[in-house]
Amino acid sequence: MSHPADLSPAQRQLRARRAVDELGPDRDEHTVVRVRCGRSHHVATVFDTPLGAVYVSSVGPHAHGHRDFVDEPHHASTHGTAYTDLLDGDPLTEDTVPAYCECGMHELSRAELRRAVDAHQRTIQLT
């Protein structure tokens, strides 16, 4: 496997998406960090995969429902656009990653997410 520094952003995101897909239907068992907004909406998840930590979020308006996960429709009929990327990048990789919930857009820091993973912090609550 190529080091993240050797991959373009599109290649890195494709590999990350495939790594999460390979976790299968029980991927929640591989969750290391969940991110929630101040209203407890689900904003993003970091999964432990064979490639390393992978960040997953739905960007753009999407449905919410049971426990605020996007696969449970509630007030919207769309699912947004999935944004998936390796949490670690090269020194030129932008630190911020996009996220979205009913409250609006969020930008999360890869460095802060990495610190949460390293500290075994299960949930990040945004303010």
Side-chain angles (χ1 to χ4, degrees), residues 75-100:
H75 293 291
S77 59
T78 61
H79 291 286
T81 303
Y83 179 87
T84 306
D85 199 355
L86 295 175
L87 190 56
D88 296 325
D90 63 49
L92 299 177
T93 301
E94 190 171 329
D95 181 55
T96 59
V97 287
Y100 188 94

PDB file of all heavy atoms in Angstrom, residues 75-100:
ATOM      1  N   HIS A  75     -37.181  14.011   8.558  1.00  0.00           N
ATOM      2  CA  HIS A  75     -37.808  15.172   7.942  1.00  0.00           C
ATOM      3  C   HIS A  75     -37.303  15.487   6.546  1.00  0.00           C
ATOM      4  O   HIS A  75     -37.803  16.394   5.916  1.00  0.00           O
ATOM      5  CB  HIS A  75     -37.597  16.414   8.823  1.00  0.00           C
ATOM      6  CG  HIS A  75     -38.324  16.323  10.122  1.00  0.00           C
ATOM      7  ND1 HIS A  75     -39.684  16.376  10.209  1.00  0.00           N
ATOM      8  CD2 HIS A  75     -37.875  16.158  11.381  1.00  0.00           C
ATOM      9  CE1 HIS A  75     -40.059  16.262  11.463  1.00  0.00           C
ATOM     10  NE2 HIS A  75     -38.971  16.120  12.202  1.00  0.00           N
ATOM     11  N   ALA A  76     -36.294  14.803   6.071  1.00  0.00           N
ATOM     12  CA  ALA A  76     -35.746  15.088   4.748  1.00  0.00           C
ATOM     13  C   ALA A  76     -35.687  13.799   3.944  1.00  0.00           C
ATOM     14  O   ALA A  76     -35.687  12.711   4.484  1.00  0.00           O
ATOM     15  CB  ALA A  76     -34.341  15.685   4.870  1.00  0.00           C
ATOM     16  N   SER A  77     -35.652  13.939   2.642  1.00  0.00           N
ATOM     17  CA  SER A  77     -35.640  12.747   1.792  1.00  0.00           C
ATOM     18  C   SER A  77     -34.269  12.498   1.187  1.00  0.00           C
ATOM     19  O   SER A  77     -34.090  11.548   0.451  1.00  0.00           O
ATOM     20  CB  SER A  77     -36.665  12.898   0.671  1.00  0.00           C
ATOM     21  OG  SER A  77     -36.357  14.032  -0.103  1.00  0.00           O
ATOM     22  N   THR A  78     -33.300  13.347   1.480  1.00  0.00           N
ATOM     23  CA  THR A  78     -31.973  13.177   0.898  1.00  0.00           C
ATOM     24  C   THR A  78     -30.997  12.639   1.929  1.00  0.00           C
ATOM     25  O   THR A  78     -31.234  12.707   3.121  1.00  0.00           O
ATOM     26  CB  THR A  78     -31.444  14.516   0.349  1.00  0.00           C
ATOM     27  OG1 THR A  78     -31.358  15.438   1.434  1.00  0.00           O
ATOM     28  CG2 THR A  78     -32.349  15.069  -0.730  1.00  0.00           C
ATOM     29  N   HIS A  79     -29.894  12.103   1.452  1.00  0.00           N
ATOM     30  CA  HIS A  79     -28.881  11.530   2.327  1.00  0.00           C
ATOM     31  C   HIS A  79     -27.577  12.305   2.291  1.00  0.00           C
ATOM     32  O   HIS A  79     -26.599  11.874   2.857  1.00  0.00           O
ATOM     33  CB  HIS A  79     -28.610  10.067   1.949  1.00  0.00           C
ATOM     34  CG  HIS A  79     -29.758   9.178   2.254  1.00  0.00           C
ATOM     35  ND1 HIS A  79     -30.085   8.802   3.529  1.00  0.00           N
ATOM     36  CD2 HIS A  79     -30.668   8.602   1.453  1.00  0.00           C
ATOM     37  CE1 HIS A  79     -31.151   8.016   3.509  1.00  0.00           C
ATOM     38  NE2 HIS A  79     -31.517   7.890   2.263  1.00  0.00           N
ATOM     39  N   GLY A  80     -27.530  13.441   1.621  1.00  0.00           N
ATOM     40  CA  GLY A  80     -26.292  14.205   1.549  1.00  0.00           C
ATOM     41  C   GLY A  80     -25.254  13.469   0.711  1.00  0.00           C
ATOM     42  O   GLY A  80     -25.520  12.448   0.091  1.00  0.00           O
ATOM     43  N   THR A  81     -24.063  13.979   0.711  1.00  0.00           N
ATOM     44  CA  THR A  81     -22.949  13.381  -0.011  1.00  0.00           C
ATOM     45  C   THR A  81     -21.942  12.870   0.997  1.00  0.00           C
ATOM     46  O   THR A  81     -21.521  13.613   1.880  1.00  0.00           O
ATOM     47  CB  THR A  81     -22.283  14.433  -0.921  1.00  0.00           C
ATOM     48  OG1 THR A  81     -23.268  14.958  -1.813  1.00  0.00           O
ATOM     49  CG2 THR A  81     -21.139  13.834  -1.706  1.00  0.00           C
ATOM     50  N   ALA A  82     -21.563  11.620   0.869  1.00  0.00           N
ATOM     51  CA  ALA A  82     -20.594  11.047   1.805  1.00  0.00           C
ATOM     52  C   ALA A  82     -19.219  11.634   1.555  1.00  0.00           C
ATOM     53  O   ALA A  82     -18.773  11.745   0.416  1.00  0.00           O
ATOM     54  CB  ALA A  82     -20.555   9.538   1.657  1.00  0.00           C
ATOM     55  N   TYR A  83     -18.566  12.043   2.635  1.00  0.00           N
ATOM     56  CA  TYR A  83     -17.174  12.481   2.568  1.00  0.00           C
ATOM     57  C   TYR A  83     -16.378  11.506   3.419  1.00  0.00           C
ATOM     58  O   TYR A  83     -16.632  11.362   4.621  1.00  0.00           O
ATOM     59  CB  TYR A  83     -17.007  13.904   3.097  1.00  0.00           C
ATOM     60  CG  TYR A  83     -15.565  14.360   3.054  1.00  0.00           C
ATOM     61  CD1 TYR A  83     -15.045  14.953   1.909  1.00  0.00           C
ATOM     62  CD2 TYR A  83     -14.712  14.156   4.130  1.00  0.00           C
ATOM     63  CE1 TYR A  83     -13.713  15.347   1.846  1.00  0.00           C
ATOM     64  CE2 TYR A  83     -13.384  14.551   4.073  1.00  0.00           C
ATOM     65  CZ  TYR A  83     -12.891  15.140   2.926  1.00  0.00           C
ATOM     66  OH  TYR A  83     -11.579  15.520   2.867  1.00  0.00           O
ATOM     67  N   THR A  84     -15.450  10.812   2.794  1.00  0.00           N
ATOM     68  CA  THR A  84     -14.633   9.808   3.469  1.00  0.00           C
ATOM     69  C   THR A  84     -13.179  10.087   3.140  1.00  0.00           C
ATOM     70  O   THR A  84     -12.836  10.325   1.990  1.00  0.00           O
ATOM     71  CB  THR A  84     -15.016   8.392   2.986  1.00  0.00           C
ATOM     72  OG1 THR A  84     -16.419   8.220   3.148  1.00  0.00           O
ATOM     73  CG2 THR A  84     -14.292   7.325   3.765  1.00  0.00           C
ATOM     74  N   ASP A  85     -12.321  10.057   4.166  1.00  0.00           N
ATOM     75  CA  ASP A  85     -10.903  10.322   3.929  1.00  0.00           C
ATOM     76  C   ASP A  85     -10.084   9.679   5.040  1.00  0.00           C
ATOM     77  O   ASP A  85     -10.589   9.477   6.147  1.00  0.00           O
ATOM     78  CB  ASP A  85     -10.640  11.828   3.905  1.00  0.00           C
ATOM     79  CG  ASP A  85      -9.333  12.208   3.229  1.00  0.00           C
ATOM     80  OD1 ASP A  85      -8.551  11.301   2.851  1.00  0.00           O
ATOM     81  OD2 ASP A  85      -9.084  13.415   3.089  1.00  0.00           O
ATOM     82  N   LEU A  86      -8.848   9.351   4.716  1.00  0.00           N
ATOM     83  CA  LEU A  86      -7.932   8.888   5.753  1.00  0.00           C
ATOM     84  C   LEU A  86      -7.730  10.034   6.730  1.00  0.00           C
ATOM     85  O   LEU A  86      -7.585  11.190   6.309  1.00  0.00           O
ATOM     86  CB  LEU A  86      -6.592   8.475   5.148  1.00  0.00           C
ATOM     87  CG  LEU A  86      -6.618   7.277   4.197  1.00  0.00           C
ATOM     88  CD1 LEU A  86      -5.231   7.072   3.586  1.00  0.00           C
ATOM     89  CD2 LEU A  86      -7.049   6.024   4.933  1.00  0.00           C
ATOM     90  N   LEU A  87      -7.736   9.749   8.005  1.00  0.00           N
ATOM     91  CA  LEU A  87      -7.554  10.800   8.996  1.00  0.00           C
ATOM     92  C   LEU A  87      -6.149  11.386   8.893  1.00  0.00           C
ATOM     93  O   LEU A  87      -5.956  12.590   9.002  1.00  0.00           O
ATOM     94  CB  LEU A  87      -7.813  10.250  10.399  1.00  0.00           C
ATOM     95  CG  LEU A  87      -7.886  11.266  11.518  1.00  0.00           C
ATOM     96  CD1 LEU A  87      -8.938  12.324  11.238  1.00  0.00           C
ATOM     97  CD2 LEU A  87      -8.182  10.567  12.825  1.00  0.00           C
ATOM     98  N   ASP A  88      -5.171  10.532   8.665  1.00  0.00           N
ATOM     99  CA  ASP A  88      -3.794  10.998   8.525  1.00  0.00           C
ATOM    100  C   ASP A  88      -3.516  11.339   7.067  1.00  0.00           C
ATOM    101  O   ASP A  88      -3.931  10.629   6.160  1.00  0.00           O
ATOM    102  CB  ASP A  88      -2.811   9.918   8.982  1.00  0.00           C
ATOM    103  CG  ASP A  88      -2.966   9.605  10.456  1.00  0.00           C
ATOM    104  OD1 ASP A  88      -3.253  10.536  11.229  1.00  0.00           O
ATOM    105  OD2 ASP A  88      -2.809   8.435  10.832  1.00  0.00           O
ATOM    106  N   GLY A  89      -2.830  12.411   6.876  1.00  0.00           N
ATOM    107  CA  GLY A  89      -2.428  12.803   5.534  1.00  0.00           C
ATOM    108  C   GLY A  89      -0.972  13.204   5.554  1.00  0.00           C
ATOM    109  O   GLY A  89      -0.261  12.988   6.535  1.00  0.00           O
ATOM    110  N   ASP A  90      -0.526  13.809   4.499  1.00  0.00           N
ATOM    111  CA  ASP A  90       0.850  14.291   4.451  1.00  0.00           C
ATOM    112  C   ASP A  90       0.883  15.730   4.984  1.00  0.00           C
ATOM    113  O   ASP A  90      -0.155  16.307   5.286  1.00  0.00           O
ATOM    114  CB  ASP A  90       1.400  14.198   3.027  1.00  0.00           C
ATOM    115  CG  ASP A  90       0.642  15.068   2.045  1.00  0.00           C
ATOM    116  OD1 ASP A  90       0.422  16.258   2.354  1.00  0.00           O
ATOM    117  OD2 ASP A  90       0.284  14.580   0.965  1.00  0.00           O
ATOM    118  N   PRO A  91       2.052  16.315   5.108  1.00  0.00           N
ATOM    119  CA  PRO A  91       2.139  17.692   5.642  1.00  0.00           C
ATOM    120  C   PRO A  91       1.378  18.723   4.809  1.00  0.00           C
ATOM    121  O   PRO A  91       1.036  19.780   5.314  1.00  0.00           O
ATOM    122  CB  PRO A  91       3.640  17.989   5.626  1.00  0.00           C
ATOM    123  CG  PRO A  91       4.289  16.646   5.697  1.00  0.00           C
ATOM    124  CD  PRO A  91       3.377  15.715   4.947  1.00  0.00           C
ATOM    125  N   LEU A  92       1.107  18.427   3.547  1.00  0.00           N
ATOM    126  CA  LEU A  92       0.377  19.368   2.701  1.00  0.00           C
ATOM    127  C   LEU A  92      -1.139  19.159   2.739  1.00  0.00           C
ATOM    128  O   LEU A  92      -1.885  19.958   2.182  1.00  0.00           O
ATOM    129  CB  LEU A  92       0.874  19.269   1.257  1.00  0.00           C
ATOM    130  CG  LEU A  92       2.357  19.605   1.052  1.00  0.00           C
ATOM    131  CD1 LEU A  92       2.749  19.396  -0.411  1.00  0.00           C
ATOM    132  CD2 LEU A  92       2.665  21.009   1.506  1.00  0.00           C
ATOM    133  N   THR A  93      -1.597  18.096   3.395  1.00  0.00           N
ATOM    134  CA  THR A  93      -3.027  17.824   3.492  1.00  0.00           C
ATOM    135  C   THR A  93      -3.672  18.862   4.399  1.00  0.00           C
ATOM    136  O   THR A  93      -3.188  19.134   5.498  1.00  0.00           O
ATOM    137  CB  THR A  93      -3.279  16.412   4.060  1.00  0.00           C
ATOM    138  OG1 THR A  93      -2.654  15.460   3.205  1.00  0.00           O
ATOM    139  CG2 THR A  93      -4.760  16.112   4.147  1.00  0.00           C
ATOM    140  N   GLU A  94      -4.761  19.435   3.937  1.00  0.00           N
ATOM    141  CA  GLU A  94      -5.467  20.436   4.730  1.00  0.00           C
ATOM    142  C   GLU A  94      -5.941  19.825   6.046  1.00  0.00           C
ATOM    143  O   GLU A  94      -6.430  18.698   6.081  1.00  0.00           O
ATOM    144  CB  GLU A  94      -6.659  20.971   3.933  1.00  0.00           C
ATOM    145  CG  GLU A  94      -7.309  22.166   4.579  1.00  0.00           C
ATOM    146  CD  GLU A  94      -8.355  22.822   3.693  1.00  0.00           C
ATOM    147  OE1 GLU A  94      -8.202  22.778   2.461  1.00  0.00           O
ATOM    148  OE2 GLU A  94      -9.304  23.368   4.245  1.00  0.00           O
ATOM    149  N   ASP A  95      -5.805  20.576   7.137  1.00  0.00           N
ATOM    150  CA  ASP A  95      -6.175  20.071   8.450  1.00  0.00           C
ATOM    151  C   ASP A  95      -7.687  19.932   8.622  1.00  0.00           C
ATOM    152  O   ASP A  95      -8.146  19.063   9.329  1.00  0.00           O
ATOM    153  CB  ASP A  95      -5.613  20.976   9.556  1.00  0.00           C
ATOM    154  CG  ASP A  95      -5.954  20.460  10.949  1.00  0.00           C
ATOM    155  OD1 ASP A  95      -5.634  19.282  11.239  1.00  0.00           O
ATOM    156  OD2 ASP A  95      -6.559  21.210  11.727  1.00  0.00           O
ATOM    157  N   THR A  96      -8.467  20.767   7.980  1.00  0.00           N
ATOM    158  CA  THR A  96      -9.910  20.724   8.182  1.00  0.00           C
ATOM    159  C   THR A  96     -10.590  19.729   7.251  1.00  0.00           C
ATOM    160  O   THR A  96     -10.172  19.534   6.108  1.00  0.00           O
ATOM    161  CB  THR A  96     -10.546  22.118   7.986  1.00  0.00           C
ATOM    162  OG1 THR A  96     -10.257  22.582   6.671  1.00  0.00           O
ATOM    163  CG2 THR A  96     -10.040  23.103   9.015  1.00  0.00           C
ATOM    164  N   VAL A  97     -11.636  19.099   7.781  1.00  0.00           N
ATOM    165  CA  VAL A  97     -12.483  18.207   6.996  1.00  0.00           C
ATOM    166  C   VAL A  97     -13.920  18.680   7.163  1.00  0.00           C
ATOM    167  O   VAL A  97     -14.295  19.172   8.231  1.00  0.00           O
ATOM    168  CB  VAL A  97     -12.327  16.719   7.416  1.00  0.00           C
ATOM    169  CG1 VAL A  97     -11.006  16.157   6.961  1.00  0.00           C
ATOM    170  CG2 VAL A  97     -12.489  16.553   8.916  1.00  0.00           C
ATOM    171  N   PRO A  98     -14.743  18.551   6.118  1.00  0.00           N
ATOM    172  CA  PRO A  98     -16.117  19.055   6.196  1.00  0.00           C
ATOM    173  C   PRO A  98     -17.050  18.089   6.920  1.00  0.00           C
ATOM    174  O   PRO A  98     -16.829  16.876   6.938  1.00  0.00           O
ATOM    175  CB  PRO A  98     -16.508  19.176   4.719  1.00  0.00           C
ATOM    176  CG  PRO A  98     -15.731  18.089   4.048  1.00  0.00           C
ATOM    177  CD  PRO A  98     -14.419  18.033   4.793  1.00  0.00           C
ATOM    178  N   ALA A  99     -18.093  18.662   7.508  1.00  0.00           N
ATOM    179  CA  ALA A  99     -19.150  17.880   8.149  1.00  0.00           C
ATOM    180  C   ALA A  99     -20.429  18.709   8.111  1.00  0.00           C
ATOM    181  O   ALA A  99     -20.385  19.920   7.876  1.00  0.00           O
ATOM    182  CB  ALA A  99     -18.766  17.539   9.577  1.00  0.00           C
ATOM    183  N   TYR A 100     -21.552  18.056   8.361  1.00  0.00           N
ATOM    184  CA  TYR A 100     -22.839  18.743   8.279  1.00  0.00           C
ATOM    185  C   TYR A 100     -23.825  18.045   9.200  1.00  0.00           C
ATOM    186  O   TYR A 100     -23.786  16.820   9.362  1.00  0.00           O
ATOM    187  CB  TYR A 100     -23.353  18.687   6.834  1.00  0.00           C
ATOM    188  CG  TYR A 100     -24.588  19.516   6.579  1.00  0.00           C
ATOM    189  CD1 TYR A 100     -24.484  20.817   6.096  1.00  0.00           C
ATOM    190  CD2 TYR A 100     -25.859  19.014   6.815  1.00  0.00           C
ATOM    191  CE1 TYR A 100     -25.607  21.581   5.846  1.00  0.00           C
ATOM    192  CE2 TYR A 100     -26.991  19.784   6.564  1.00  0.00           C
ATOM    193  CZ  TYR A 100     -26.863  21.059   6.087  1.00  0.00           C
ATOM    194  OH  TYR A 100     -27.970  21.819   5.848  1.00  0.00           O
TER     195      TYR A 100
END
